[in-house]
Amino acid sequence: MTDHAAKKNSIINNQSGNAAYEVTIHRMGRIWMSIAILVIFAVPVSISLFFNTWPAAGPLLGGLLPIMMIYVPIGIIEVITFSPMLGSGATYLAFTTGNLTNLKVPCALNALEITETEPGSGQGEILSTIAVATSSMVTNLVLVLGVLLFVQLTPILASPTLQPAFENILPALFGALGYLYISKNWKLAVVPVTLMVIIFLIVPTAPVGILIPVSALSAIGAARLMYKREMI
Amino acid sequence: MDDYRNSAFMFVLGAIVALFVTVQCIVFLRKAWQEGKRRGVPEEKMRKTVLSSAVFTLVPSMSILLTMLTLSGALGLALPWIRLSVIGAITYELPAAEAAAQATGASLMGAAVPVDVFSVIVWVMTLGIMSGPIFIIAYFKKLQGKVNKIKAEDNRWGALLVSAMFVGLISSFLGSALAGGVVSILTLFSSALLMVICIQVEQRAGLKAFKDFALPLSMIGAMALSILYSGLLGG
């Protein structure tokens, strides 16, 4: 077999291996996500059974409707927006363990950045899954420690001196992350950053969760336009 | 009734949920590691990902702990632990619990809620966040197929599309921070500046750790500076 033929065979084997992984990870992901939904539902069911108190329809709907009006679209939009960035394995994990915008997505971005890996690539799929799995386990551990050391930690976490630090955790996160990505893709950032600043100046209390897809769509639109005109 | 919120039963439920999440993470981590080896991803890269992700997670986890603390006054310790271990987020749990409490005429600001109110809160917090996981089971595979098709048809545009999404996500938080007051703006720029310094130190002094831990270092530095800014500006 010539070198060329051997290389071609290797690429074909690699591609079929990648496709097999995709099939496996989707099957695994759907099974684990289904079990996760059952486990999560088991919590309120167990509480209602154990304490013999089922919620009345009125208060339940009264509490649920305003929440669902906001968080049903956000939940769907988050899947559409974040899954291409995270890849398959990381998406199934991140949507089980939560805290996507403030933790899991930046964590995956950071991992790809320091390993110099392209987002959405074959290696990116693997590394973002490893990043989200590690991050979820560490958060779990921190929460367990928080439960065990609650009395000792309360005065520190509730300290008025530290409050500005906790209130500004998102600017602290996205300032550094923003520099990393925008310095590389500044042309892509002009339209969405301008749009978001205008929106937040007009409506300072606008929920970021709802504006993420607006910002992403404006960035995609601007990117498409510049791509077509060969500006990027 | 004794403090039902912090009963052994509630903590057993919490332990089961935490165990489930941990097992799922281990299974996915193992699968990704094996696949990484098969694809020829250097083990050093995978180890570096584990270490940097673990260190990075510590800082945002503090704000998750803070949310647990905020909710624990009315709901006890076990329920916030359970809720913050799965699906939800710090931006969701508090409004969801508040909306449920208000629907029953109670408040989270007071002391422990009665068990019937607690039951409503648990159900609302659980049901209100389920759209994402259900949507994933129903449509994620199809969605991923479409994204892969775009990449296959035009690889450069596929990569740009993902980059544009990243930039869109970051831009929304930049906009929020830039319109969030002086301390927020100063924190944002301090964090960016600290990132520049970390990169420069890594490049000029060859200290790799400054690159690997640039994000947590910049975050912690900017958060510490926000305390200073807040003290100086009185807000």
Side-chain angles (χ1 to χ4, degrees), chain B residues 52-64:
Chain B
S52 66
S53 302
V55 173
F56 166 77
T57 301
L58 291 174
V59 186
S61 289
M62 290 302 121
S63 65
I64 297 175

Side-chain angles (χ1 to χ4, degrees), chain A residues 137-178:
Chain A
M137 285 192 283
V138 172
T139 309
N140 240 354
L141 188 65
V142 169
L143 283 170
V144 170
L145 288 174
V147 170
L148 293 175
L149 303 172
F150 182 70
V151 177
Q152 290 87 340
L153 284 173
T154 302
I156 302 167
L157 290 169
S159 152
T161 314
L162 292 179
Q163 287 319 296
F166 291 122
E167 282 166 12
N168 287 290
I169 199 160
L170 288 178
L173 168 58
F174 283 96
L177 209 55

Side-chain angles (χ1 to χ4, degrees), chain A residues 57-135:
Chain A
L60 180 66
L61 289 176
L64 202 52
L65 283 177
I67 286 300
M68 287 187 87
M69 275 167 66
I70 299 172
Y71 286 97
V72 166
I74 285 182
I76 294 168
I77 286 164
E78 278 188 341
V79 178
I80 296 168
T81 315
F82 295 149
S83 61
M85 306 182 200
L86 290 170
S88 311
T91 297
Y92 285 111
L93 262 187
F95 278 88
T96 304
T97 56
N99 283 299
L100 279 110
T101 47
N102 60 321
L103 182 53
K104 304 295 159 49
V105 177
C107 183
L109 286 179
N110 183 47
L112 297 181
E113 183 63 35
I114 61 169
T115 54
E116 293 165 4
T117 306
E118 198 183 311
S121 63
Q123 284 203 10
E125 159 76 37
I126 300 302
L127 296 179
S128 63
T129 306
I130 293 173
V132 172
T134 308
S135 176

Side-chain angles (χ1 to χ4, degrees), chain A residues 141-214:
Chain A
L141 188 65
V142 169
L143 283 170
V144 170
L145 288 174
V147 170
L148 293 175
L149 303 172
F150 182 70
V151 177
Q152 290 87 340
L153 284 173
T154 302
I156 302 167
L157 290 169
S159 152
T161 314
L162 292 179
Q163 287 319 296
F166 291 122
E167 282 166 12
N168 287 290
I169 199 160
L170 288 178
L173 168 58
F174 283 96
L177 209 55
Y179 170 77
L180 276 182
Y181 274 85
I182 291 177
S183 60
K184 280 187 204 159
N185 302 290
W186 68 270
K187 285 182 184 171
L188 288 180
V190 173
V191 170
V193 170
T194 311
L195 180 69
M196 287 300 108
V197 171
I198 292 169
I199 290 176
F200 279 108
L201 284 175
I202 297 168
V203 193
T205 54
V208 182
I210 287 179
L211 289 174
I212 291 171
V214 177

Side-chain angles (χ1 to χ4, degrees), chain A residues 14 17-18 21 24 26 28 30 32-37 40-41 44-48 50-51 53-55 59-60 62-64 67 71-72 75-76 79 81-85 88 91-93 95-99 101-103 105 107 109-111 114-120 122-123 126-127 129-131 133-137 139-140 143 146-147 150 154 157 161 164-166 168-169 171-176 178-182 189 192-193 196-197 200 208 212 215 219-220 224 227 232, chain B residues 4 9-11 13 18 20-29 31-32 35-36 38-39 41 45-46 49-50 52-54 56-57 59-66 68-69 72 77 81 84-92 95-96 99 103-104 116 119-120 122-124 126-128 130-131 135-137 140-141 143-144 151 154 156-157 159-161 164-176 178-179 183-184 188 191-192 195-196 199 211-212 215 218-219 223 226-227 230:
Chain A
N14 204 25
N18 292 0
Y21 173 76
T24 311
H26 278 294
M28 262 175 70
R30 284 172 160 186
W32 277 94
M33 188 62 95
S34 304
I35 300 170
I37 290 174
I40 292 161
F41 266 106
V45 171
S46 309
I47 289 172
S48 289
F50 189 81
F51 296 115
T53 170
W54 294 85
L60 180 66
L64 202 52
I67 286 300
Y71 286 97
V72 166
I76 294 168
V79 178
T81 315
F82 295 149
S83 61
M85 306 182 200
S88 311
T91 297
Y92 285 111
L93 262 187
F95 278 88
T96 304
T97 56
N99 283 299
T101 47
N102 60 321
L103 182 53
V105 177
C107 183
L109 286 179
N110 183 47
I114 61 169
T115 54
E116 293 165 4
T117 306
E118 198 183 311
Q123 284 203 10
I126 300 302
L127 296 179
T129 306
I130 293 173
T134 308
S135 176
S136 303
M137 285 192 283
T139 309
N140 240 354
L143 283 170
V147 170
F150 182 70
T154 302
L157 290 169
T161 314
F166 291 122
N168 287 290
I169 199 160
L173 168 58
F174 283 96
Y179 170 77
L180 276 182
Y181 274 85
I182 291 177
V193 170
M196 287 300 108
V197 171
F200 279 108
V208 182
I212 291 171
S215 180
I220 292 167
R224 186 72 189 164
Y227 179 65
I232 44 176
Chain B
Y4 68 91
F9 169 73
M10 289 299 299
F11 284 105
L13 280 184
F20 169 78
V21 172
T22 306
V23 171
Q24 184 181 4
C25 289
I26 293 169
V27 169
F28 275 72
L29 181 64
K31 183 75 192 165
E35 180 64 13
R38 193 196 63 78
R39 290 187 188 186
V41 181
K45 262 193 180 186
M46 295 196 279
T49 300
V50 169
S52 66
S53 302
F56 166 77
T57 301
V59 186
S61 289
M62 290 302 121
S63 65
I64 297 175
L65 267 187
L66 195 65
M68 189 165 85
L69 175 78
S72 67
L77 205 47
W81 173 35
L84 289 163
S85 300
V86 282
I87 304 184
I90 54 177
T91 47
Y92 167 77
T104 61
D116 56 328
S119 163
V120 173
V122 178
W123 277 98
V124 169
T126 306
L127 291 169
M130 297 309 292
S131 62
F135 186 76
I136 282 184
I137 292 174
F140 175 49
K141 198 177 172 189
L143 184 72
Q144 193 74 348
K151 283 181 191 164
D154 184 346
R156 196 166 164 259
W157 168 241
L160 260 178
L161 180 73
M165 283 182 162
F166 274 137
V167 171
L169 164 74
I170 290 166
S171 301
S172 57
F173 282 95
L174 289 183
S176 166
L178 286 170
V183 176
S184 165
L188 182 84
S191 171
M195 176 56 89
V196 175
I199 292 170
K211 187 186 177 193
D212 296 350
L215 191 54
S218 306
M219 270 185 87
M223 284 167 73
S226 74
I227 297 171
S230 190

